Amino acid sequence: MADVDEEDYVYFGTPIEREEDTSSRKRKAVAEAGTVRALAPWKQEVKDEEGRRRFHGAFTGGYSAGYYNTVGSKEGWTPQTFTSSRKNRSEVKKQSINSFLDEDDLKHIGGNALETSMQYDTFGFTAAEFARKKAEEEQKKRPSAIPGPAPDEIVLPASSSIGKKLLMKMGWRQSSSIKDSNAEALYEIRREARKAFLAFPSGNAEFELLEKDTVDTDEFPEMSTDVSCKSGNTPVYVLDPKQDMCGLGYDPFKHAPEFRDSKKLRESKSGEKNKGKIRMGGNLLSSSSGKYAPGFGIGALEELDVEDEDIYASGFFDYEQTEVELEPSTAVKEINGDNMLRLEHKKQASLLGFKPASDSDYKLERFRPPAIPPNFRPIHKFAVPLDQTLKDYNNAPPPDALRPEDANLRLLIDGSAAMVARCGKSIEDVYMEKSKTNPLFFFLRSGAEGHDYYIRKLWENKQKFVDESKQAEKLTSEKRGRILGERPLASTTFGGNVVSVKAREVINKQSTLGDTSTKPISLADLPESATKAFKHDPAKQERFEQFLKEKYQGGLRASGTISSTTTSAMSEANRARERLDFEAAADAIEKGKRNTQISAPSTDHAKDLLGFGEDRFVSSTFIENPETKEEATKAVYPKREQFEWRPSPILCKRFDLIDPYMGKPAPVPRPRSKMDSLVFLPETFKSTNREEAKFPVRGSLEASKSGLKEAEAEPSGTEADVAPTSPKNVERPVDLYKAIFSDDSEDEVADAGPTLNQAPDPVKSSEGANKTLNRLVAGDFLQSLGMELGLEVPPDNRPGPPLIANPISPPEQRESPKGDDRNNTALTEVEDTKSKDYGSTADYSREKKRSHSRHRRRRSRTPDPDSGSDSDSDGGHRSGSKRRRDRRDRSRNRDNESSDEASLYRKERRKKHRSRKHHEHKRKDYGDKHTDMKRRS
Amino acid sequence: MASGSELPVNESSVLKGHEGAVLAVRFNADGNYCLSCGKDRTLQLWNPHRGIHIKTYKSHGREVRDVHVTSDNAKLVSCGGDRQVFYWDVSSGRVVRKFRGHDSEVNSVKFNEYNSVVVSAGYDRSVRAFDCRSQSSEPIQIIDTFQDSVMSVHLTKTEIIAGCVDGTVRTFDIRIGREIVDQLGHPVNCISLSNDSNCVLASCLDSTLRLLDRSAGELLQEYKGHKCKSFKMDCCLTNTDAHVASGSEDGFIYFWDLVDASIVSSFRAHNSVVTSVSYHPKDSCMLTSSVDGTIKVWRK
């Protein structure tokens, strides 16, 4: 069955050979073929097609090896003479494909080898190519005058093409054009024919002539027209005729193709014919908008910016162009023309392959602007003023009217009444106009249905409108305040003439803000004329009064009230100066010298105050006074102002100057705008006093107050001595240290206060003292930090025993240190009362504090810096609350803790050092006096 | 006019070498050499007395607006449109350091007395001081109280003086830590110090030069006649402080008498805006530079 079936089928193609069909040996041989070939020759085995080794006899050696078991070489054992390869190296064999092919391959390949044939080279290209190749080959072999490959134009094909051959056979000659030769040939034939005709009888001659004419005109039109072509060969077109003086083959635009275009353009411009045909290529210098300085491009990574615009090319100057190729005079025009053309091109936006039409049918139709009637006024005025109409309706409320039943009508009346109320009489006129045609608006006419209602509605609307507008314009800050239930600020007036309304405003504001609870105390006990020493400057006057109050009332005073009197905008120096003025004035009052003229240095403070206040407050009662504005703008130039400015310590160092702000706290940033002041104030507030929650204003005032103290402390001699000795202190941010130590120093002061009751004004002086303490502490902190970090810290050269062994010092000074101290405190106290050496009381208290701390410290002095004994020993002195605050402080500055301890110790030591130094100074003075006295006696 | 005869009004030589506008030309400290900088992003060192070009310094990425050389002629500092201040070694012509920090073009730059600090003024409304002795390229001081572009900066031993387009001349006294603002009411284009450093000459954009007394801030004199409305131009006092010199936008040079503000001399020097004038510290010799790409040396 199966056979029958198979016979029925017809098979196409060859069946796929199955794997199993091939013998396993053969497969193995195929698989091994690769590996075997990789083996060394002597390891390879000879095998037949089936992969079997040839076995050539059990007795002759088994399997066959190379060269029939002789040796491993073709020559076998044949003896040979030795030839050294040293002299004659193996020559370089020229390898070709044949050397890699065996006979079989060659046999296969040999039949199909392709060769070029010259026979059908119609246009001679192949011949030219061939010739060029030949020439190149030859060139390699012999030296040539022209180095490098020969130019194509020089090499001509040696053989002529088949086409040329054909043409030659057809009678074409080298120097004549193809068409011509053809025509000429034909013409020749005809001529011959004509000659033959001429030989015929003359009766046919006329016909002949006619025929000739027709032939001439019909068949050879070019003969008559294109005579010039007759004799010449096809003209040789040279694409770029050489017109410049550059060397052969030199392309001046090789690296700057953008200039080629501009040159072409210039040429095309000079030759007027083909104008506008040049299309600009990608030009590097091209820019969308106009003028950029020629000559200098910008970097690839930079953008063309406004900065690159050529601001100087403003008309009266043309750059000298420096390109080699372009004439200088035309260069600029070139570029300008360039831009114009490009612009034009852009404008037309013609597609590739399209050309903008030279004359288009489309024309933009332009209309003349409408003629304005001569009596036209550009401002529209309502026929009846709005207020007038409002007033009318204000007065006479029309009688209440019934609303019409028709809901639509009612809506319409409501709407139009509202409209008329808002927009005035004119819109009513419009409606009236409408009512003539439209029955819907009949209600406008008197007597019609709904007219009364309309009148009533209109009146109501207007009433409402008036109320609204009234409210909108009358709601001032006062009213707002009243609505919100605020207490109106009591406005106090000052005696004497006032610099400006604004200034007074500000002062009012500040005083009311500062002490809302307490009224300014009138200095009744003092004569009026004396206390009004600064009459011309109310701000200053107020400060002065405050100063007097402080001075004569004395005692403890909440720090809050201090802040209300001074302004933070004042610079430290100004404040110091003013302070001195105040002192002088107060002295004058005291001594009863009423007629002394107290010169007020400047009105700077008032100005500062003004600027400061303006930024901060928006006055409630002050309505902007145009006159003051005028004054401000009319100010004569040049105007001089002074501000505080902080040079950085390193800048001072580089300029070889002493930093004027060395060791001073961070400045209060000058408020530039409202926003600035708002942003910065909390900062200063935080840094100055964290304890009390106050107004931000007050915080800043506080800061300025402390600054004032600082300024006062400055002129003292000891400060100047101490300050430059620690260049280390230069780079520290003072605030940080203050944040860490300010509480501590307060404690110190608090300690110092009760023990030294004799101090004239302990609270006031405490702030100045704080600052100096902070400064010292900060220095110590750096030192301790350096120690912790393992850096070498320069030793504190404190004056030791030599001080005591001072030969000049009197014998009682040479006693025990305790006695020494006592003497000194006594001395300072004495000086307190009489001397004017120091600008402020801060120094005295500081001195006291030092001497006091020295008393305390004597007991707990330990040589070990890490013991932290300071706080332990202090424990006895401190009250519970102080200690608690301390603890809080510590926890806040947890990371600074250890250094805190160490620095506390150091601070104490430094303080001692300072006081000792000072004592020494004093001692010297004293000693001198002593010796003087001795001498005198 | 007797006083006018000693003015450098005769063209001695022309220094050509810049491509495009020359934006500034400066004598060195002793007046033997001069430096110029311009729109072609180069600085050039010249001997103006012999009229020869010595060296070109290239590294700027944009136009160079100002240059200053140390008193020992060892270092240069230059600034310009690339927002950086370049600190050069004169002899090798290499950039030793680039000070960054300005947010915008830098208009003017100066060394301090000890050549240790470079102070630059920029369009970013700030004056910045850079430390030449440290490796840092960050400014050691930023003064940003200006309201507008700072055009010109000068240094004395203790002060930084800067003229600003907001119409102020600001003096920053390092010694006492104060900023003194002299408002002139007109944009200040250039400032120049008198040789005794007591006065400052400010060129304002209302075509007026104003002479201010520095200690009191008083206006001593105004000089008018030239044209200065839109370009950054220099002004200077002569070496004897007897005359005031300034360029003009129409290519003229003007000399005024310092005291009575009369125009002593004016002549056409260039084809275009005179960008810079620099007076010899000792002799009667002046350099002018212009947008037309030339630097001219003037002698009496």
Side-chain angles (χ1 to χ4, degrees), chain A residues 70-105:
Chain A
T70 54
V71 284
S73 71
K74 198 180 179 180
E75 288 82 20
W77 289 108
T78 317
Q80 278 190 326
T81 51
F82 173 74
T83 51
S84 169
S85 64
R86 207 174 173 186
K87 289 277 164 58
N88 44 352
R89 298 275 182 191
S90 59
E91 73 271 25
V92 181
K93 274 178 188 163
K94 237 186 187 174
Q95 286 184 332
S96 70
I97 185 96
N98 291 334
S99 52
F100 295 101
L101 298 173
D102 57 7
E103 291 89 64
D104 289 349
D105 294 329

Side-chain angles (χ1 to χ4, degrees), chain B residues 248-263:
Chain B
S248 175
E249 282 178 19
D250 48 12
F252 275 67
I253 302 282
Y254 284 82
F255 286 100
W256 291 269
D257 190 275
L258 183 94
V259 180
D260 57 10
S262 59
I263 296 175

Side-chain angles (χ1 to χ4, degrees), chain A residues 553-716:
Chain A
Q553 291 183 341
L556 282 171
R557 179 173 39 79
S559 55
T561 52
I562 307 169
S563 64
S564 68
T565 57
T566 50
T567 53
S568 64
M570 282 174 68
S571 63
E572 289 173 10
N574 278 346
R575 236 175 273 125
R577 212 185 301 147
E578 195 181 74
R579 184 87 186 184
L580 286 175
D581 286 342
F582 287 169
E583 292 272 8
D587 278 355
I589 290 162
E590 223 174 3
K591 285 164 191 170
K593 289 174 188 168
R594 305 278 184 264
N595 52 354
T596 40
Q597 290 289 328
I598 299 137
S599 61
S602 70
T603 55
D604 272 359
H605 325 304
K607 271 187 203 159
D608 286 353
L609 182 70
L610 260 180
F612 186 69
E614 265 170 12
D615 283 344
R616 205 137 306 179
F617 303 110
V618 181
S619 147
S620 64
T621 50
F622 179 70
I623 297 141
E624 198 163 312
N625 192 350
E627 282 172 34
T628 51
K629 275 266 171 183
E630 278 282 302
E631 266 175 48
T633 49
K634 220 168 64 184
V636 203
Y637 292 114
K639 204 165 68 186
R640 174 162 279 204
E641 287 175 303
Q642 291 208 1
F643 299 103
E644 184 186 315
W645 171 68
R646 280 177 177 257
S648 70
I650 183 80
L651 187 75
C652 298
K653 198 174 163 189
R654 290 281 176 261
F655 272 79
D656 204 11
L657 297 168
I658 297 160
D659 186 357
Y661 289 91
M662 186 153 52
K664 298 217 177 129
V668 183
R670 196 197 304 171
R672 284 189 186 173
S673 67
K674 236 176 245 181
M675 275 313 287
D676 272 9
S677 64
L678 284 175
V679 168
F680 280 116
L681 267 172
E683 285 290 321
T684 58
F685 160 61
K686 221 186 288 168
S687 66
T688 47
N689 356 13
R690 295 176 309 252
E691 314 291 295
E692 303 123 315
K694 281 182 196 164
F695 298 118
V697 184
R698 224 189 270 181
S700 67
L701 291 178
E702 190 66 22
S704 72
K705 176 74 181 173
S706 60
L708 167 70
K709 299 289 179 190
E710 188 59 26
E712 282 168 31
E714 185 59 22
S716 71

Side-chain angles (χ1 to χ4, degrees), chain A residues 293 295-299 302-305 307-314 316-317 319-320 322 571-574 636-652 654-661 670 672, chain B residues 19-21 23 39-41 62 83 105 112 114 116-117 129 131 133 140-141 143-145 156-158 172-185 212-217 219 231 249 271-273 275 291-292:
Chain A
F296 326 111
I298 53 164
E302 291 174 85
E303 288 173 358
L304 206 62
D305 222 342
E307 304 149 16
D308 297 304
E309 260 176 38
D310 186 15
I311 52 158
Y312 293 108
S314 54
F316 47 84
F317 171 71
Y319 277 99
E320 275 185 39
T322 46
S571 63
E572 289 173 10
N574 278 346
V636 203
Y637 292 114
K639 204 165 68 186
R640 174 162 279 204
E641 287 175 303
Q642 291 208 1
F643 299 103
E644 184 186 315
W645 171 68
R646 280 177 177 257
S648 70
I650 183 80
L651 187 75
C652 298
R654 290 281 176 261
F655 272 79
D656 204 11
L657 297 168
I658 297 160
D659 186 357
Y661 289 91
R670 196 197 304 171
R672 284 189 186 173
Chain B
E19 291 176 25
L23 297 180
K39 211 113 165 101
D40 58 354
R41 305 165 180 195
R62 282 177 192 270
R83 301 170 191 196
E105 295 91 323
N112 73 337
Y114 306 106
S116 56
V117 175
D131 190 356
R133 293 187 182 163
I140 53 171
Q141 173 98 46
I143 306 170
D144 52 1
T145 57
T156 64
K157 280 185 183 179
T158 60
F172 300 90
D173 196 322
I174 301 165
R175 197 170 38 180
I176 60 168
R178 300 204 49 83
E179 174 188 358
I180 299 158
V181 182
D182 287 319
Q183 295 193 345
L184 297 179
L212 298 176
D213 178 39
R214 282 189 50 218
S215 55
L219 181 67
F231 296 116
E249 282 178 19
N271 293 325
S272 180
V273 184
T275 51
V291 174
D292 63 9

Side-chain angles (χ1 to χ4, degrees), chain A residues 858-874:
Chain A
R858 190 158 312 289
R859 266 169 280 144
S860 63
R861 189 194 280 182
T862 44
D864 182 14
D866 300 325
S867 67
S869 64
D870 183 50
S871 58
D872 293 342
S873 64
D874 266 355

Side-chain angles (χ1 to χ4, degrees), chain A residues 475-482 486 619-621:
Chain A
L475 192 71
T476 58
S477 56
E478 288 169 10
K479 285 197 172 181
R480 208 184 307 119
R482 210 177 296 142
E486 283 171 357
S619 147
S620 64
T621 50

Side-chain angles (χ1 to χ4, degrees), chain A residues 267-294:
Chain A
E267 277 163 5
S268 73
K269 272 189 138 184
S270 60
E272 291 271 324
K273 285 177 206 167
N274 44 2
K275 194 181 177 183
K277 277 200 169 184
I278 304 288
R279 197 183 149 275
M280 287 303 300
N283 196 332
L284 274 180
L285 288 175
S286 70
S287 58
S288 53
S289 70
K291 302 182 294 182
Y292 291 103

Side-chain angles (χ1 to χ4, degrees), chain A residues 104-365:
Chain A
D104 289 349
D105 294 329
L106 281 174
K107 201 162 61 191
H108 282 295
I109 237 171
N112 309 337
L114 288 175
E115 280 173 3
T116 53
S117 158
M118 288 287 135
Q119 224 171 344
Y120 300 103
D121 185 14
T122 318
F123 301 105
F125 289 148
T126 323
E129 184 81 359
F130 184 73
R132 198 174 55 78
K133 271 187 186 161
K134 268 277 170 63
E136 254 173 35
E137 268 172 35
E138 264 182 44
Q139 172 121 42
K140 277 179 200 159
K141 282 171 188 166
R142 57 143 200 259
S144 165
I146 308 164
D152 290 356
E153 298 86 45
I154 295 173
V155 182
L156 287 170
S159 65
S160 49
S161 67
I162 189 78
K164 202 172 176 180
K165 275 177 193 163
L166 280 170
L167 278 170
M168 295 276 255
K169 280 191 176 163
M170 286 166 71
W172 174 78
R173 276 168 292 136
Q174 194 80 36
S175 57
S176 58
S177 69
I178 295 164
K179 194 163 67 177
D180 281 355
S181 70
N182 228 348
E184 228 164 358
L186 272 170
Y187 181 70
E188 276 312 293
I189 294 158
R190 300 252 168 186
R191 210 158 61 118
E192 290 298 317
R194 245 179 281 142
K195 274 180 189 168
F197 270 118
L198 282 175
F200 281 103
S202 59
N204 287 336
E206 276 185 314
F207 167 72
E208 263 309 307
L209 278 171
L210 269 176
E211 196 193 46
K212 179 192 151 195
D213 280 346
T214 52
V215 165
D216 271 354
T217 48
D218 289 346
E219 288 198 338
F220 311 111
E222 65 273 25
M223 286 300 288
S224 53
T225 54
D226 206 356
V227 187
S228 62
C229 288
K230 191 161 61 179
S231 58
N233 199 346
T234 45
V236 180
Y237 289 105
V238 182
L239 280 174
D240 273 320
K242 188 163 174 60
Q243 289 170 335
D244 52 13
M245 308 288 277
C246 298
L248 202 95
Y250 171 73
D251 183 4
F253 302 114
K254 194 175 177 184
H255 297 297
E258 59 270 14
F259 293 114
R260 197 194 304 273
D261 292 325
S262 61
K263 194 191 174 186
K264 264 185 201 165
L265 189 86
R266 190 188 56 196
E267 277 163 5
S268 73
K269 272 189 138 184
S270 60
E272 291 271 324
K273 285 177 206 167
N274 44 2
K275 194 181 177 183
K277 277 200 169 184
I278 304 288
R279 197 183 149 275
M280 287 303 300
N283 196 332
L284 274 180
L285 288 175
S286 70
S287 58
S288 53
S289 70
K291 302 182 294 182
Y292 291 103
F296 326 111
I298 53 164
L301 299 174
E302 291 174 85
E303 288 173 358
L304 206 62
D305 222 342
V306 188
E307 304 149 16
D308 297 304
E309 260 176 38
D310 186 15
I311 52 158
Y312 293 108
S314 54
F316 47 84
F317 171 71
D318 283 348
Y319 277 99
E320 275 185 39
Q321 198 70 13
T322 46
E323 283 102 56
V324 194
E325 209 49 38
L326 300 170
E327 279 103 46
S329 59
T330 56
V332 172
K333 274 188 256 165
E334 198 75 45
I335 281 157
N336 289 343
D338 210 66
N339 286 342
M340 264 164 57
L341 201 94
R342 225 175 303 125
L343 268 177
E344 219 171 48
H345 177 70
K346 209 174 189 179
K347 203 163 62 193
Q348 287 158 353
S350 56
L351 291 166
L352 194 70
F354 286 87
K355 200 177 85 176
S358 53
D359 54 338
S360 71
D361 297 332
Y362 175 72
K363 263 178 192 161
L364 194 70
E365 213 172 336

